[in-house]
Every structure is written in C-alpha cells, then in structure tokens.
Amino acid sequence: MNVLQDSLIELIRRTSAEIPDDVQRTILQALEREKQGTIAESAFQIIEQNIALAKQKSQPICQDTGSVLFYVDGPVGYDQIAFAEAGRAAVTQATKKGYLRQNSVDSLTGRNDGTNVGPGAPTFHFHQHRSAEIAVRLVLKGGGCENVGAQYSLPAEQLKADRDLDGCRKVILDAVLQAQGKGCGPGVLGVCIGGDRATGYEFSKTQLLRKLDDRNPVPELDRLEQDILKTANELGIGPMGFGGRTTLLGVKIRAANRVPASYFVSVSYMCWAFRRQGVMLDEQGSIQTWLY
Amino acid sequence: MIHLTAPFTEEKIRALKVGDAVEITGVLFTGRDAVHKYLAKGGELPPGVNLRDGIIYHCGPVVLKDAASQWKVVAAGPTTSIREEPYQAGIIEKFGVRGVIGKGGMGDRTLAACKASGAVYLHAIGGAAQVLAEKITAVRNVYLMDKFGSPEAIWELQVERFPVVVTMDAHGRSLHQEVFAASSAELAKRL
Ligand code: SF4
C-alpha cells in the first residue's frame, strides 16, 4: 500500500465533503444576520442543511468538485516527482469513489476520460522550506466562481481607478458588483495587488489558504480588507444575488512587487462552498494533523 | 412559502411574483447545453417527453444505479443558466414551457418570452447538490442518453417540495436586474 496516496485520498474526501470550521462559523454568523422570513435567510438555511448533509453522507458538498489544486511545503530534498505521482493516482482513485465528479475535459478534443488527470490537472505548487515539516493543502475551485474572477490593469479610466490603494478599492468592489450572485455567493475574495498577470492570479489564489478570521499583518492591507468586506456587505447583493445583508464572507489581500509599467489587481472569487483542507504528513506520508 | 404542484397551468404560473419562495411538487425535465442546442436547431423531443406546461431544470445530475438496478440521483444542483440564453426564449415559446430552473438568472430575451408565453425563471440554490438531490423522490425515465451522455441527457425526475425562488416572473420583472441596479447605486455612494 502506498501510504502517501491513501493520505491524499482521505484529504480529497474530506475537502470535498466537509467545509472547514472557519468558513462554517462565518456562514452561521451570516445566517443569524439575515432578516427573518426573507429569501436570503432561506437561502442560508438550505446552505446550512447542505453542509450538514454532505458531511453526514460523506458526499460532495457541490457536484462541481472543481479544479484540484495542491499546495505542498516540504523540506529541501523532498521528492516532488514521487509526490506528484501519488497525487495523480489519488485523484484517479478519489474520482472512482465519487469524492470528485468526472470533471476534467481535454480542451482541444472536448473529451472527458473520467480520471480527472491530464495536462495541468491536477495542479501542484511546490515550495521548499528549511523546516522538516511536510504540509499539504488542497483547494477544490469550482467553475462558476472561477468565471467571475477578474484582473484589472490600473489606471482603469471607466472606473476612475488610479494607481493607488483607492484605485485598488474601486476595482475590487467593481469585481463584487459584476459578480452579483453568479459565483454562488456569498463568496470570499483572494486578491493580489501587483505582480505580472500570471503571478498576480497565482497569489490571489494562495490568499484563499488563509483562515477567514485571521488578520493581515500589513496595516494598509488589513484596513483595505476590512473596508471592502464592510462596503460589499452594504451593497445588498446577498446570497445567490437574491438581495440581503451578506455579499462576502471574507476578503484576503496581498501585494507583490510590479514593474513600473504595470499595475495589475487580480481577484479570485471563491463560492460559499469553500473547499479547502490541509494536512501535516510524516516522512512516510501518514497524516499527523489537520490544518483547518 | 408557496406550494406549486402539477399541473403547472398558465394561471398558477402567472400568479407568481419576483421574490416568491416556492416549493415544487411534480415532474421536472433536466436539460442543459446539448439539449438546448439540439431543440433550438429543430431537434424533436423524444417520445415520452412533453414540455407543454412543463418545467426544464438546468442541471447535469450525478446519477448512479443502486443494487436493485434503480437509478438514484446522488447530486443535483443547478448549473449556470445564462449559457442557454441564445436558445431559451425560442424553446419556451415553441414547446409551451412554464418554468425554467437554474442559477444566476437569464437575460432580456428570456424575460420577454416569460412575459409573452406565461413562464417564470426559478432560481435554485447553487451548490446545494445534496439538499436538492434529497428532494428528488424518483427517476421516472431518461432520454437521449446514448446521444448526449449522462450529465447532458434529459432526466425525468419526480420531485417533492423542491425549493426555488422566483427571480424572473411573467410580468416582466427580474430580481437580477433590480438587485444589480440597486447595488450599483449603493456602490456609487461609497466610492
Ligand atoms: S460556484 Fe461553487 S457552489 Fe456554485 S456550482 Fe460552482 S462549485 Fe458549486
């Protein structure tokens, strides 16, 4: 038996069927905030029931089990090739067991071979660190919410957004407005200010690895996060775009250096069915602790 | 809460208004991209499928056969509806459809067809695959399975108290347009 592969199958199962505690707490708070008897409140009630039912039946929270994104932090010398092989095998197995839908399509032929494995699928992001710890995080990123992500290039004249933090605020709020309920809101934003186009989006996604209740250590970004969360929830878009008091569950922002000629703001939108989990592994690949 | 039961007559449908929470009991037919394109290009409904006074559900369900060889729906949330905007109005008019269930809302042509023919757009909770699957009490039949494959086939589903919200009604109102306009105005005050 391949211990690492089994651990990754269990990581996929739990990610697909169970919402992390920090997200569930935030959804519960949002439910309590909605006015009684509104369609927003009943939307949250169905969301709550769905979370409980998926966990109880160990079945996918949402049938779109998304793009499968692994983030792996390991010590110098950790065998990335062996990890990726185990990861691909785990994804194939997890699909057979129904933890993942047959969800990966050849972009040229339209063919779906039912394995969820192919060029770029699943995706692995490896990072080395000096410690001996092996941490594996997994995000299942649905398509509906991925489609409402956006990348802005500042200045954005139509939005009167200059190359400063106020300009960033304007375009991030525009992304919320344009998304309405289409990304299965209430959602969570991961944002990167700066970078090139590819790293900007990449860093916007890694912001989704932060817990919803953490605070940004950079004071300007912390203020911006709190401001956008508050302002977005005053817009009245509500769950599913039905109208209501909760439009976003969280906002996470980082900055990256840019070249003088470019100023990108990249926004990734995560739906309420926020599937992320993580594990610490020992050298053999056994699960030691869960991260969320 | 309004309990909408079959038959879905024009009278019952025209009585619905934007913002109504509705629970449906009766039969739904799933149809997504392949079915809409096929019907819009002149394809015929397979024998046994009658959409007159019927409801189409934009959904690619996950359906498995259980030990007794009976179909069982294991996940059945809505898919994004706007992809069917080029086809939906024509299908509502040609086949006499009374309701379309999906998520994210639809555009002006569908809204106009709802008003003209007496139909509504019903929004299900996106992502609620497990709760919605529980409301499906029986799989009555499946059509065009060989042609389109399982998620794209037409599944005839018996549902009981299937929860949706009317977001586009037969009187020309769209909650999606209204929430967009109101939220744009709120945002303008805060920039
Ligand atoms: S956006 Fe999220 S909740 Fe909605 S259908 Fe896609 S994966 Fe599911």
Side-chain angles (χ1 to χ4, degrees):
Chain A
M1 280 317 265
N2 185 330
V3 178
L4 175 60
Q5 186 179 319
D6 287 347
S7 297
L8 296 180
I9 293 172
E10 175 58 10
L11 173 62
I12 295 168
R13 184 198 66 76
R14 188 145 170 204
T15 310
S16 178
E18 297 178 22
I19 290 273
D21 286 346
D22 60 311
V23 179
Q24 188 164 4
R25 268 199 308 277
T26 313
I27 290 176
L28 264 178
Q29 288 159 4
L31 168 62
E32 279 158 19
R33 237 187 348 255
E34 288 297 345
K35 255 196 256 165
Q36 281 187 4
T38 58
I39 50 178
E41 189 202 35
S42 58
F44 271 116
Q45 283 164 346
I46 291 176
I47 287 171
E48 268 300 305
Q49 286 167 20
N50 198 74
I51 291 171
L53 204 56
K55 183 172 181 178
Q56 177 207 325
K57 293 168 77 173
S58 197
Q59 281 185 359
I61 293 163
C62 176
Q63 75 239 7
D64 183 357
T65 52
S67 299
V68 180
L69 313 174
F70 286 100
Y71 298 89
V72 186
D73 298 290
V76 177
Y78 189 64
D79 189 341
Q80 301 181 356
I81 295 171
F83 184 94
E85 282 168 0
R88 281 190 287 268
V91 166
T92 306
Q93 285 303 317
T95 308
K96 279 199 190 128
K97 289 171 183 278
Y99 305 153
L100 298 174
R101 176 173 77 171
Q102 300 182 353
N103 213 32
S104 184
V105 175
D106 183 309
S107 293
L108 299 182
T109 63
R111 200 168 155 260
N112 182 342
D113 71 5
T115 64
N116 278 325
V117 173
T123 311
F124 300 97
H125 304 267
F126 291 105
H127 299 279
Q128 280 187 347
H129 53 201
R130 289 279 172 213
S131 95
E133 287 181 339
I134 304 162
V136 182
R137 291 177 173 80
L138 173 64
V139 173
L140 302 176
K141 183 71 175 65
C145 56
E146 187 68 359
N147 290 345
V148 300
Q151 189 168 58
Y152 295 86
S153 177
L154 301 190
E157 209 186 337
Q158 267 194 327
L159 298 171
K160 301 197 179 69
D162 300 319
R163 289 181 155 195
D164 52 27
L165 281 184
D166 184 60
C168 294
R169 176 179 185 272
K170 283 179 174 149
V171 297
I172 296 166
L173 286 167
D174 182 65
V176 176
L177 179 72
Q178 299 305 329
Q180 292 286 303
K182 292 193 280 268
C184 291
V188 177
L189 300 186
V191 180
C192 176
I193 296 171
D196 64 80
R197 285 190 186 274
T199 50
Y201 265 135
E202 168 61 15
F203 285 152
S204 75
K205 286 253 167 54
T206 51
Q207 285 300 294
L208 298 172
L209 300 173
R210 289 172 51 193
K211 284 192 184 172
L212 289 191
D213 50 9
D214 76 355
R215 293 295 287 258
N216 198 313
V218 182
E220 302 91 297
L221 293 179
D222 186 56
R223 274 198 298 279
L224 189 59
E225 289 179 358
Q226 302 305 319
D227 173 18
I228 287 173
L229 182 61
K230 177 170 172 286
T231 308
N233 286 339
E234 289 166 0
L235 301 183
I237 296 170
M240 295 294 130
F242 287 171
R245 291 174 177 165
T246 303
T247 298
L248 290 181
L249 300 169
V251 180
K252 302 291 163 190
I253 308 176
R254 70 163 283 174
N257 276 21
R258 58 183 178 83
V259 295
S262 300
Y263 196 126
F264 296 115
V265 178
S266 310
V267 182
S268 284
Y269 190 107
M270 177 60 104
C271 53
W272 69 260
F274 191 151
R275 284 151 296 166
R276 88 151 124 61
Q277 248 313 339
V279 286
M280 302 296 288
L281 299 178
D282 66 13
E283 264 171 68
Q284 281 70 47
S286 298
I287 295 174
Q288 301 300 298
T289 48
W290 291 87
L291 293 173
Y292 295 102
Chain B
M1 181 67 63
I2 296 168
H3 192 194
L4 178 67
T5 51
F8 309 119
T9 59
E10 179 165 3
E11 194 193 351
K12 287 184 196 170
I13 294 295
R14 286 210 184 261
L16 298 174
K17 304 182 309 298
V18 155
D20 284 344
V22 175
E23 288 181 344
I24 304 169
T25 296
V27 169
L28 312 178
F29 291 96
T30 68
R32 48 182 294 168
D33 308 75
V35 167
H36 281 78
K37 187 169 162 218
Y38 166 80
L39 293 178
K41 300 260 144 80
E44 287 188 20
L45 282 179
V49 179
N50 184 2
L51 294 180
R52 193 147 303 278
D53 291 342
I55 297 181
I56 293 181
Y57 181 19
H58 295 157
C59 170
V62 181
V63 192
L64 300 175
K65 273 204 171 135
D66 65 15
S69 231
Q70 294 289 311
W71 291 113
K72 177 100 185 84
V73 177
V74 289
T79 187
T80 301
S81 298
I82 195 71
R83 294 194 307 270
E84 317 313 339
E85 181 66 11
Y87 317 118
Q88 199 70 67
I91 290 173
I92 289 173
E93 282 158 7
K94 179 169 174 190
F95 297 102
V97 174
R98 290 279 170 231
V100 174
I101 305 175
K103 74 168 172 112
M106 299 191 73
D108 292 341
R109 285 166 58 198
T110 302
L111 188 60
C114 285
K115 191 173 177 184
S117 312
V120 286
Y121 179 83
L122 303 160
H123 201 300
I125 304 299
Q130 296 300 330
V131 167
L132 296 177
E134 294 252 309
K135 309 293 178 187
I136 297 169
T137 52
V139 177
R140 292 164 54 114
N141 217 327
V142 58
Y143 311 90
L144 299 176
M145 174 79 131
D146 292 340
K147 196 173 169 76
F148 296 138
S150 173
E152 295 276 352
I154 298 180
W155 291 92
E156 182 178 345
L157 307 174
Q158 178 75 40
V159 299
E160 210 174 302
R161 294 204 164 255
F162 188 95
V164 291
V165 171
V166 180
T167 59
M168 293 162 63
D169 66 19
H171 310 285
R173 273 186 69 193
S174 160
L175 185 65
H176 307 286
Q177 286 175 358
E178 290 171 15
V179 171
F180 186 82
S183 54
S184 299
E186 289 301 321
L187 180 54
K189 290 187 217 160
R190 290 168 174 81
L191 289 180

